[in-house]
Amino acid sequence: MQIEKLRGKELDQLFKAVLTLKDLEECYRFFDDLCTVNEIQSLAQRLEVARMLQEGKTYHKIETETGASTATISRVKRCLNYGNDAYTMALDRIKEEE
């Protein structure tokens, strides 16, 4: 797990702060203060790429619909295949809530 290299007080504080957020509005407010618009869009794009890969969409379709580079798509695919299953966990929970 690569995150182990980053683990520490500051990252714990960030994740604890995220876990305190109660709804979408609080998330929008927090991330607007925390990140640039481009950073937020990049994170959202990666999650959408993961969703589309799970659905079996082609790189070309994903690139066209999301604007993600093939490098980003490949990185997300590698995480889906060899990562911590966090994309799958989060996307499954979103589906359950809908």
Side-chain angles (χ1 to χ4, degrees):
M1 185 187 298
Q2 289 183 352
I3 199 76
E4 291 299 328
K5 297 174 191 169
L6 299 174
R7 191 176 292 272
K9 187 176 92 175
E10 290 176 353
L11 196 54
D12 285 354
Q13 177 179 257
L14 172 63
F15 291 156
K16 285 176 183 178
V18 170
L19 290 171
T20 68
L21 302 174
K22 293 178 176 54
D23 56 30
L24 278 176
E25 184 57 33
E26 286 189 4
C27 287
Y28 273 100
R29 290 173 44 211
F30 181 75
F31 281 93
D32 184 45
D33 284 351
L34 182 68
C35 302
T36 66
V37 171
N38 287 341
E39 289 168 336
I40 295 168
Q41 289 173 332
S42 292
L43 294 171
Q45 181 187 66
R46 289 180 189 172
L47 188 59
E48 178 62 6
V49 166
R51 186 191 65 76
M52 293 177 78
L53 284 168
Q54 283 185 331
E55 291 179 352
K57 302 283 198 272
T58 65
Y59 272 42
H60 178 71
K61 178 112 175 133
I62 295 168
E63 192 175 11
T64 301
E65 288 189 19
T66 67
S69 67
T70 55
T72 295
I73 298 167
S74 294
R75 184 185 184 290
V76 171
K77 185 172 184 173
R78 189 168 47 254
C79 289
L80 284 171
N81 292 334
Y82 306 109
N84 300 305
D85 295 324
Y87 278 122
T88 301
M89 175 188 64
L91 290 168
D92 286 351
R93 288 179 182 171
I94 291 169
K95 279 183 195 173
E96 288 171 11
E97 288 184 9
E98 290 177 346

